Amino acid sequence: MFEIDLSCSLFQVFRGTITDAPDFDPTADAEALYSAMKGIGSDKEAILDLVTSRSNAQRQEIIAAYKSNFGQDLIDDLKYELTGKFECLIVSLMRTPAYHDAKEIHDAIKGAGTNERCLIEVLASRNNKQIHDMVAAYKDAYGRDLEEDVIADTSGHFKKMLVVLLQDFYAAGEEQWGTDEAKFIMILGNRSVTHLRMVFDEYEKIAEMSIEDSIKNELSGDFERLMLAVVQCIRSVPMFFAKRLYKSMKGLGTADNTLIRIMISRSEIDMLDIRECFRLRYEKSLYNMIKDDTSGDYKRTLLNLCGGDDDLAGEFFPEAAQIAYKMWELSAMTRVQLRPTVRPAPNFDPAADAQALRKAMKGFGTDEDAIIDIVAWRSNAQRQEIRQAFKSLLGRDLMKDLKSELSKNLERLIIGLMLTPAEFDAKMMRKAMEGAGTDEHALIEILVTRSNQEIHAMNAAYQGAYKKSLEDAIQSDTSGHFCRILVSLVQGAREEGLADVERANADAQELADACNADSDDMVMKFMSILCTRSFPHLRKVFQEFVKCSNKDIEQIIKKEMSGDVKNAFYAIVRSVKNQPSYFADRLYKAMKGLGTDDRALIRIMVSRSEIDLFNIRKEFKETHDASLHEFIQGDTSGDYRKTLLILCGGED
């Protein structure tokens, strides 16, 4: 068995980027800093180079030497000479870890609002000693009790779990809240990492669901985020911080407080591991993301703390490969409970709905609200009954009436909801291929994520609607290896069932061997396995691939392949690993930046609303720190927005 402990002995060996400077002389350093700040202006480069090349313990000696030599407070002088984010970063580096954490917590709870994400990050990720030191530093700095301040500023189960983390224990049975939330607190409040990892493994065997998915299903809001953070830190503290760093820099604007806090607090602990996890997950080095997202002396200081560019090495680090192995192992063990957002309406009366729709479209003007309230609140099977009732009672074609009365995106969305899933998929495939350009991403998304049964139904619907086979249409519109991949997928012949361990080992070795072949042979071998094996089997294959190659399948695809072939294989891997996360990413890309890809937005919201849109919502929130509901609210308008929000099913 490939043994892996996600702690990777992180706290037994040094994995930081900042170390004690050799031949250290605190008096000389104090004099150098004094000279750098003397006179008009200050030598910022001299300051940042000195501060970032000393450990925190050495910085404390410099502060003491500065005071005794010049009779001044070094931190006060730095605050006077520096400005902005650079000042914040340098001054924070001069505080001890405990006082830095104490200040971050104090800033998070003082004033009108509370920075819950800061509380979650700090309290979920610190070990017992760090928590105790922080509590003492808080008392010394502010003359107040940290636990009392947290209790005063938070509420509910979120507050209770924060208190558990501050106290480092939970007396099981003493509190009888009688809720699912209390059970989570009882289990996760025991801060023994080794014990909890065993609990998580046993939980997955019994529930056929990861503890993360259970938390997403059962909890919500800040309490959900806190419990997920605790679990992620138990799994891998470096991966937790890699995700936090990525979120602090992605998109418009930078969460500088988060970026500064993490870069400082982890620079002498596990920054090397965080860098590896970052590159593993995001296919980009932390160094390059900081370089692209920041500027000036602030950037230079952060890059010094980062300690190096992993992209330059071009190699995959063994520690990150081990974490990838564990991630695939979890994926192989987990069976996600899929949850829809749209369910059949109770007390359903298709005849009454048909009459109400006719009334909404008769005469001058159209009652869009009435149409939306019927169509969006019914299941697809119920909508088909309404179509039949409309025809038999009124002698009219409901689809034609809707098309004549509605327009633009609202029309596309409502019509999409009224089609059967097979008709809708067929239409989406047709739209992706008609006209001058081809929407390759849509072709990939549909064919990769549909079951054999769904693909067969789509093929029949396509033939019926367009008098041409879908396979022929694909062959006419695409070419080369990409065409071969799509044709393979459109057969709907993917194997079904659980993993065959012996065969998975052989498949993994074949994929590893193919990485050394020429590009054509590599693509064909990847296609023969990725396009035909069942998803549970592929999870095991990808897990074993890490073992025999020391590489991650996602990284290989990104590095060795290109264009639509790369996108197709990557979509398969993402879907195998976590299909709701794949769709969450697709929705994010449909709405981020200028303009909205309404076709993609409609396609996913319609096709997943009765399957796993609730799961997609949860993945969206966790990955992007904003809810799907918020994104739709901000990116769409009018009746189109109203309908999408009903399908979304709620705010997370």
Side-chain angles (χ1 to χ4, degrees):
M1 178 63 187
F2 187 94
E3 292 293 335
I4 171 64
D5 180 351
L6 279 189
S7 65
C8 296
S9 300
L10 298 181
F11 303 107
Q12 297 170 26
V13 295
F14 179 75
R15 296 289 295 163
T17 50
I18 302 295
T19 61
D20 283 339
D23 305 319
F24 172 60
D25 183 343
T27 301
D29 284 351
E31 289 173 353
L33 286 173
Y34 183 79
S35 297
M37 293 185 283
K38 197 167 58 176
I40 299 172
S42 54
D43 187 345
K44 296 183 180 65
E45 286 195 16
I47 294 170
L48 76 87
D49 284 340
L50 192 151
V51 171
T52 58
S53 59
R54 305 292 185 269
S55 68
N56 189 274
Q58 290 176 331
R59 293 179 207 128
Q60 304 316 309
E61 291 189 55
I62 296 169
I63 290 172
Y66 195 92
K67 186 81 167 181
S68 61
N69 278 279
F70 305 108
Q72 293 170 223
D73 186 290
L74 175 55
I75 289 181
D76 286 346
D77 283 3
L78 288 168
K79 285 180 179 177
Y80 181 79
E81 291 291 333
L82 308 178
T83 58
K85 292 176 285 192
F86 180 55
E87 175 208 333
C88 180
L89 180 50
I90 293 295
V91 167
S92 296
L93 281 166
M94 298 308 297
R95 295 191 185 97
T96 66
Y99 280 85
H100 178 61
D101 280 350
K103 184 176 189 306
E104 291 297 299
I105 294 292
H106 181 259
D107 290 349
I109 55 181
K110 75 175 183 181
T114 304
N115 184 347
E116 291 85 2
R117 284 180 170 81
C118 175
L119 294 179
I120 290 167
E121 177 202 302
V122 174
L123 296 183
S125 64
R126 301 309 192 250
N127 63 31
N128 289 354
K129 184 179 185 308
Q130 290 167 330
I131 293 272
H132 292 214
D133 291 346
M134 175 179 63
V135 169
Y138 191 94
K139 183 76 171 177
D140 181 58
Y142 305 107
R144 300 178 61 84
D145 183 83
L146 176 53
E147 184 180 325
E148 289 178 6
D149 282 2
V150 167
I151 288 171
D153 208 65
T154 57
S155 61
H157 291 300
F158 178 60
K159 173 179 72 177
K160 290 171 185 172
M161 188 61 190
L162 290 176
V163 170
V164 167
L165 294 174
L166 280 168
Q167 294 177 339
D168 294 327
F169 72 90
Y170 178 81
E174 287 184 8
E175 297 284 359
Q176 296 295 325
W177 300 321
T179 65
D180 289 336
E181 287 87 348
K183 292 172 190 172
F184 279 113
I185 291 173
M186 278 192 285
I187 294 167
L188 297 184
N190 170 342
R191 295 169 53 82
S192 165
V193 170
T194 305
H195 172 78
L196 284 171
R197 285 184 189 144
M198 293 169 64
V199 169
F200 295 167
D201 288 344
E202 289 304 312
Y203 183 92
E204 281 150 17
K205 291 174 188 172
I206 295 166
E208 295 188 330
M209 178 189 295
S210 71
I211 191 77
E212 289 93 335
D213 284 321
S214 189
I215 288 169
K216 289 173 193 173
N217 286 340
E218 299 296 331
L219 309 180
S220 62
D222 290 324
F223 184 50
E224 177 195 349
R225 280 189 283 277
L226 173 58
M227 300 309 257
L228 284 173
V230 171
V231 170
Q232 287 165 2
C233 286
I234 290 164
R235 298 267 196 219
S236 170
V237 170
M239 184 60 83
F240 169 74
F241 280 115
K243 291 178 182 176
R244 291 285 294 152
L245 283 169
Y246 179 76
K247 288 176 184 177
S248 76
M249 291 182 280
K250 74 176 180 69
L252 295 173
T254 304
D256 292 293
N257 288 342
T258 301
L259 179 56
I260 291 169
R261 183 172 59 246
I262 297 172
M263 294 302 293
I264 289 174
S265 65
R266 310 315 293 187
S267 60
E268 294 186 47
I269 300 175
D270 54 2
M271 185 57 71
L272 290 172
D273 297 289
I274 292 169
R275 277 167 40 183
E276 290 175 5
C277 290
F278 194 97
R279 186 160 171 259
L280 163 69
R281 187 169 181 89
Y282 302 111
E283 301 293 336
K284 181 177 186 175
S285 70
L286 175 59
Y287 188 95
N288 275 327
M289 192 146 187
I290 291 170
K291 196 174 177 181
D292 292 344
D293 210 64
T294 59
S295 61
D297 295 316
Y298 176 53
K299 173 168 75 176
R300 276 200 59 200
T301 311
L302 289 171
L303 292 178
N304 284 359
L305 295 178
C306 183
D309 183 2
D310 299 311
D311 285 344
L312 289 177
E315 294 297 324
F316 194 63
F317 292 93
E319 290 88 347
Q322 290 178 350
I323 293 172
Y325 180 89
K326 185 63 178 177
M327 288 164 66
W328 281 115
E329 184 179 57
L330 294 171
S331 177
M333 291 171 63
T334 302
R335 201 174 295 169
V336 177
Q337 179 189 348
L338 300 181
R339 295 177 61 183
T341 54
V342 173
R343 292 180 172 83
N347 307 315
F348 173 60
D349 184 342
D353 283 349
Q355 296 283 8
L357 284 171
R358 176 62 185 147
K359 182 181 177 184
M361 295 185 282
K362 200 160 63 174
F364 291 108
T366 305
D367 187 347
E368 284 88 355
D369 283 341
I371 295 171
I372 293 165
D373 287 339
I374 293 171
V375 174
W377 290 103
R378 305 292 182 269
S379 69
N380 191 273
Q382 290 175 333
R383 294 180 205 124
Q384 303 316 310
E385 289 189 56
I386 295 170
R387 279 173 73 176
Q388 293 172 358
F390 201 90
K391 186 78 168 179
S392 60
L393 289 171
L394 305 166
R396 302 175 68 87
D397 186 314
L398 176 55
M399 305 298 269
K400 285 183 179 176
D401 282 6
L402 288 169
K403 283 178 183 175
S404 69
E405 294 293 328
L406 305 175
S407 62
K408 299 181 179 175
N409 285 326
L410 179 63
E411 177 205 336
R412 298 183 188 103
L413 181 52
I414 294 294
I415 293 296
L417 288 166
M418 293 304 304
L419 294 167
T420 67
E423 290 171 337
F424 181 66
D425 280 347
K427 183 176 182 180
M428 291 297 99
M429 291 293 287
R430 176 76 168 187
K431 290 286 184 187
M433 293 184 283
E434 71 181 3
T438 303
D439 186 346
E440 292 86 1
H441 286 291
L443 298 178
I444 292 168
E445 175 202 299
I446 295 168
L447 292 177
V448 162
T449 59
R450 301 310 191 254
S451 67
N452 289 344
Q453 185 179 356
E454 289 168 332
I455 287 175
H456 294 315
M458 175 176 62
N459 280 328
Y462 195 96
Q463 181 74 51
Y466 307 112
K467 312 307 176 193
K468 181 179 184 178
S469 78
L470 181 51
E471 182 180 333
D472 287 345
I474 288 169
Q475 288 179 326
S476 299
D477 205 65
T478 60
S479 60
H481 288 309
F482 181 56
C483 176
R484 294 186 187 96
I485 292 167
L486 296 183
V487 168
S488 176
L489 293 172
V490 85
Q491 304 306 307
R494 186 180 289 284
E495 295 168 3
E496 297 176 347
L498 301 176
D500 177 330
V501 175
E502 189 174 331
R503 191 171 172 224
N505 291 335
D507 284 346
Q509 191 59 58
E510 282 194 46
L511 290 175
D513 292 342
C515 294
N516 300 317
D518 66 49
S519 60
D520 284 347
D521 289 344
M522 181 181 179
V523 170
M524 293 307 291
K525 177 53 67 179
F526 269 61
M527 187 179 85
S528 71
I529 294 174
L530 268 60
C531 295
T532 62
R533 307 294 196 260
S534 72
F535 275 23
H537 181 83
L538 285 175
R539 287 189 191 103
K540 187 65 179 172
V541 171
F542 299 155
Q543 180 192 356
E544 295 306 312
F545 180 84
V546 178
K547 186 196 296 185
C548 63
S549 70
N550 213 29
K551 294 170 183 168
D552 185 76
I553 194 80
E554 291 181 32
Q555 187 198 25
I556 289 296
I557 290 168
K558 286 251 183 134
K559 185 178 177 183
E560 301 295 335
M561 299 178 188
S562 61
D564 296 324
V565 170
K566 177 184 78 173
N567 293 336
F569 285 148
Y570 187 66
I572 293 172
V573 174
R574 288 290 313 279
S575 293
V576 166
K577 191 173 188 178
N578 185 338
Q579 197 165 95
S581 174
Y582 168 72
F583 278 117
D585 186 53
R586 296 283 298 138
L587 283 170
Y588 177 74
K589 287 174 179 171
M591 290 183 282
K592 71 168 185 149
L594 296 173
T596 304
D597 183 349
D598 291 293
R599 188 174 287 177
L601 180 56
I602 291 168
R603 184 174 61 245
I604 297 170
M605 295 297 290
V606 169
S607 66
R608 309 315 295 183
S609 58
E610 291 185 58
I611 301 174
D612 56 359
L613 191 52
F614 180 87
N615 307 77
I616 293 167
R617 265 172 42 191
K618 291 291 185 179
E619 293 293 339
F620 194 101
K621 180 77 172 181
E622 184 182 344
T623 305
H624 303 294
D625 267 355
S627 69
L628 178 58
H629 190 281
E630 285 175 60
F631 258 68
I632 292 170
Q633 185 88 34
D635 213 61
T636 60
S637 61
D639 293 320
Y640 175 51
R641 175 170 65 189
K642 179 185 174 184
T643 312
L644 288 171
L645 291 177
I646 293 171
L647 297 180
C648 183
E651 168 71 278
D652 294 301

